[in-house]
Amino acid sequence: MVLFPAKKNPLVTNSKKSQKIDTMRGNHTNWSGLLLVLTAGVLAACAQMQQPPVVDKSPVPYKQATEMFLAGYTHIAEKYIEKIPASQMAMEGIRGLGSIDPALTVKRVDDKIFLPTSDPEEEPNYFDAPADNDIKGWADLTVKIWSEGRKASPELFNSSPEKLYEAVFDGALSKLDIYSRYSGLKEATRNRARREGFGGIGIRFKVSSKSVRITRIIKKTPAARSGLLVGDLILRVGSIPVVGLSSRDVSDQLRGRIDSKVKLTISRGSEPTPRIFLLERHLIVAPTVKAKINDGIVFMKISGFNQQTSRDLAKKMQHLRNVHGHKIRGVVLDLRGNPGGLLNQAIKIADLFLDHGKIVSTRGRHPESIQYYEAGGRDIARGLPLILLMDGRSASSSEVLAAALQDQGRAVIIGTTSFGKGTVQTVIRMPNNGEITLTWSRLYSPAGYVLHGLGLRPSFCTSGSGEMKNKDLFASIADEKLVRQAFKSWRNTGIYKQAQRSKLRASCPAERRKKAVEVRAARNLLNNVELYARALALAAFDAKKPVEEAIKAPKQNITNAPQ
């Protein structure tokens, strides 16, 4: 389909009646006009012979669609971190219809919005553009253009309302930033399950072309109580055979309403007859914290931040303290590969290790996006040395936690520069129970610098290293003046100085780290009390004590920390 250049044609209007050519002037016949009408009728008849007319059996849900666009446009206009005119977001959204039918081109010329018709020989329809900030006007117009576009586009005609919402909001949000997005009902349900938990049985599984094998059974879940075993093969969920389904489809079958029942047909080992298990779904919140102790050092791997992360970490730390007591001589939090999650959980964990001071602040355009968080006065590690491991995939809430502990002089970071995702997204429930995830504020570390686009600087950089020797790794903080200047530059480079920020990140490139070099470095650093204290003091934002004085103090604090 081709969109013709806009013309100031008085015969083309929004009204179907006024789109007819007036062939009568007074009481005299306009023969040229009549001939034009007859010719157009012949051409139209030919076109109809070539392509049967589309009969609309699924009328546009005007009310529901208008509610959706009005809600979405309103939230974006009010809450997005930068001010966006309704006209700009709506036009991008309307152009998003091109993702359904690339030939459906929509253009704005001055105060007119042009839409092609089903006949390329006809002038395009046009609509009057609402005022720039008339949100309701733009929501109404979006629905009108959708309705008219269905007449010209079979692809648009055959698309569901949900497909429309996805196309429009993807168009409106994609030009804002990569973290603002729309999720339809199914995806939004999965998102809420990751954040808040879901009705399930408590297993992990692996799908192959021939089987669905249980690989893990989470403790204190219906699966653990039922007698299911790791290695069991799932044949059916209810009456549905699962072999050949995708992982997502298997998950959809296993999950359901809390307290509802699900029947599993299981094949176990060499047993000739499948077993039947009837389980009742409970609220399942995926575990995100793994803890172990080795040679007096507590290692905690945090894979994400959901609603139970801080509680699980506190419980595991308290259990280890109860069992091992004074034998614990340090704590390592492994945040490598952690993409983030719930901001409040990162704040709560920072609060678990800090007894005072700022944790993070958020600032945006909407009044509710401006928040300040401070520590509440307890340290579950009771002053034990704390080390964080980070890499190029440590992002968002991981960076909030790390920045708070580093700036406050509570932890030393080993690894690479982090991802640099320093914005906060608010999740907006839509009328169809989908979601808009919208960036609405930036994160500021206790030192006052913007995390977004920069990330955190580790005290000991492992970028590019294989099996780096400790003496080479730890030599990086030998020059006190140089280290202080490096951290000062990191914290004082403004958000709009992209070239300087890129240069800073390049000094310790962000990388994905899975090797044990960071773990060994953490272990060796905890064995060197003086080096740990020096690194801690140099990275702290507002150290009240000189480095040499700080080095002496931890010797007593570490060895005599109350247990």
Side-chain angles (χ1 to χ4, degrees):
M1 299 177 185
V2 178
L3 177 63
F4 289 88
K7 297 179 181 178
K8 294 184 178 180
N9 189 340
L11 303 180
V12 183
T13 71
N14 286 330
S15 169
K16 290 185 178 179
K17 291 183 179 180
S18 59
Q19 284 179 2
K20 296 179 180 178
I21 299 176
D22 184 4
T23 61
M24 305 297 294
R25 295 182 181 175
N27 295 321
H28 301 283
T29 302
N30 184 339
W31 294 106
S32 61
L34 181 59
L35 181 61
L36 179 60
V37 171
L38 293 173
T39 304
V42 173
L43 292 174
C46 293
Q48 288 179 356
M49 292 176 62
Q50 295 175 358
Q51 182 176 354
V54 176
V55 179
D56 193 346
K57 297 181 180 180
S58 55
V60 174
Y62 282 98
K63 183 178 179 181
Q64 296 93 320
T66 303
E67 287 178 355
M68 278 288 292
F69 296 128
L70 181 58
Y73 292 165
T74 299
H75 283 297
I76 296 170
E78 291 179 353
K79 297 179 180 179
Y80 187 63
I81 193 169
E82 305 288 351
K83 189 173 182 179
I84 304 294
S87 57
Q88 179 180 328
M89 78 173 86
M91 277 306 302
E92 293 296 342
I94 292 168
R95 292 188 184 107
L97 295 174
S99 66
I100 299 176
D101 182 358
L104 191 72
T105 55
V106 181
K107 289 187 178 181
R108 177 173 184 172
V109 179
D110 298 327
D111 60 347
K112 305 295 181 186
I113 311 295
F114 289 88
L115 175 72
T117 64
S118 57
D119 185 350
E121 298 298 325
E122 291 183 3
E123 290 279 359
N125 293 325
Y126 72 78
F127 306 84
D128 292 326
D132 278 352
N133 290 308
D134 181 2
I135 295 175
K136 187 178 186 309
W138 283 102
D140 290 338
L141 179 60
T142 303
V143 180
K144 289 178 183 177
I145 289 180
W146 173 35
S147 178
E148 287 299 314
R150 284 162 55 93
K151 300 175 184 178
S153 167
E155 292 86 354
L156 195 61
F157 176 81
N158 293 318
S159 295
S160 65
E162 184 54 53
K163 187 71 174 177
L164 164 80
Y165 303 148
E166 181 181 329
V168 171
F169 286 123
D170 281 353
L173 296 168
S174 63
K175 296 299 178 67
L176 302 184
D177 67 280
I178 62 174
Y179 302 112
S180 296
R181 62 189 183 277
Y182 168 78
S183 301
L185 175 59
K186 287 187 177 180
E187 185 182 357
T189 301
R190 286 190 286 267
N191 293 341
R192 288 191 281 271
R194 282 193 292 269
R195 297 191 303 265
E196 304 163 9
F198 54 88
I201 61 173
I203 65 170
R204 294 190 187 277
F205 58 87
K206 183 177 181 180
V207 172
S208 69
S209 59
K210 298 181 179 179
S211 67
V212 177
R213 182 183 299 274
I214 296 176
T215 58
R216 183 183 176 191
I217 296 177
I218 300 172
K219 295 179 180 179
K220 300 179 180 180
T221 63
R225 292 187 288 268
S226 71
L228 286 172
L229 300 176
V230 171
D232 284 349
L233 302 180
I234 304 175
L235 303 180
R236 284 183 173 82
V237 178
S239 61
I240 307 296
V242 296
V243 176
L245 297 182
S246 67
S247 295
R248 177 168 288 184
D249 289 337
V250 175
S251 292
D252 289 343
Q253 294 298 324
L254 290 170
R255 297 180 183 185
R257 180 175 52 82
I258 294 172
D259 296 333
S260 64
K261 289 182 170 57
V262 59
K263 183 174 72 173
L264 268 60
T265 305
I266 296 293
S267 173
R268 178 173 292 173
S270 59
E271 294 181 3
T273 305
R275 296 190 179 206
I276 304 297
F277 290 80
L278 185 63
L279 298 88
E280 186 178 89
R281 296 181 177 99
H282 286 187
L283 176 65
I284 305 296
V285 180
T288 56
V289 181
K290 293 181 180 179
K292 65 179 181 180
I293 187 167
N294 190 329
D295 190 27
I297 301 173
V298 173
F299 289 89
M300 289 193 172
K301 174 68 176 177
I302 307 175
S303 59
F305 295 85
N306 63 26
Q307 67 172 358
Q308 288 191 0
T309 303
S310 62
R311 185 184 307 169
D312 287 349
L313 186 145
K315 288 173 64 176
K316 284 178 167 59
M317 186 67 200
Q318 187 59 51
H319 172 73
L320 290 171
R321 291 189 63 84
N322 292 341
V323 173
H324 299 279
H326 66 279
K327 295 180 181 178
I328 299 177
R329 56 193 184 86
V331 179
V332 177
L333 301 183
D334 189 350
L335 299 172
R336 292 175 298 175
N338 185 324
L342 297 178
L343 173 62
N344 72 327
Q345 291 296 305
I347 292 169
K348 287 181 178 180
I349 294 176
D351 191 40
L352 289 174
F353 291 99
L354 290 171
D355 55 15
H356 69 281
K358 295 179 182 178
I359 294 176
V360 70
S361 62
T362 66
R363 304 174 207 170
R365 197 165 53 89
H366 194 276
E368 293 178 9
S369 71
I370 303 172
Q371 302 288 339
Y372 300 88
Y373 301 90
E374 294 198 1
R378 65 188 181 118
D379 177 1
I380 60 171
R382 301 182 187 178
L384 287 168
L386 182 60
I387 292 177
L388 305 184
L389 307 184
M390 301 195 76
D391 68 3
R393 294 190 182 182
S394 303
S396 189
S397 296
S398 296
E399 295 173 293
V400 170
L401 172 59
L405 298 177
Q406 183 186 63
D407 283 3
Q408 296 292 0
R410 182 64 185 91
V412 174
I413 298 177
I414 297 175
T416 78
T417 296
S418 60
F419 184 83
K421 195 270 183 183
T423 55
V424 182
Q425 284 68 44
T426 183
V427 180
I428 301 156
R429 182 77 70 100
M430 297 293 286
N432 68 337
N433 281 323
E435 294 178 346
I436 284 182
T437 302
L438 190 67
T439 298
W440 80 330
S441 63
R442 293 187 180 93
L443 293 162
Y444 290 76
S445 81
Y449 70 97
V450 179
L451 294 170
H452 195 64
L454 183 61
L456 277 87
R457 181 186 191 277
S459 291
F460 301 103
C461 179
T462 61
S463 297
S465 63
E467 301 300 324
M468 183 181 289
K469 295 181 180 179
N470 288 328
K471 65 178 182 179
D472 297 325
L473 179 63
F474 297 152
S476 60
I477 65 165
D479 189 329
E480 177 182 327
K481 184 177 180 180
L482 189 64
V483 174
R484 284 194 182 279
Q485 182 56 47
F487 276 105
K488 183 178 180 180
S489 297
W490 198 276
R491 289 164 171 147
N492 291 336
T493 302
I495 187 172
Y496 298 110
K497 296 183 178 180
Q498 297 299 330
Q500 292 93 320
R501 286 183 153 230
S502 296
K503 186 176 180 180
L504 289 171
R505 286 180 62 82
S507 65
C508 181
E511 294 178 356
R512 179 69 173 104
R513 302 291 301 176
K514 293 184 178 180
K515 296 183 179 180
V517 61
E518 290 85 10
V519 174
R520 279 196 292 271
R523 192 189 307 277
N524 289 321
L525 183 59
L526 289 173
N527 289 332
N528 190 328
V529 174
E530 183 174 325
L531 184 63
Y532 171 84
R534 177 179 290 274
L536 198 69
L538 289 174
F541 167 60
D542 190 18
K544 296 180 180 179
K545 297 180 181 179
V547 172
E548 293 305 321
E549 186 176 346
I551 291 172
K552 296 176 183 177
K555 292 183 180 180
Q556 295 181 347
N557 293 339
I558 292 172
T559 56
N560 298 321
Q563 304 297 324

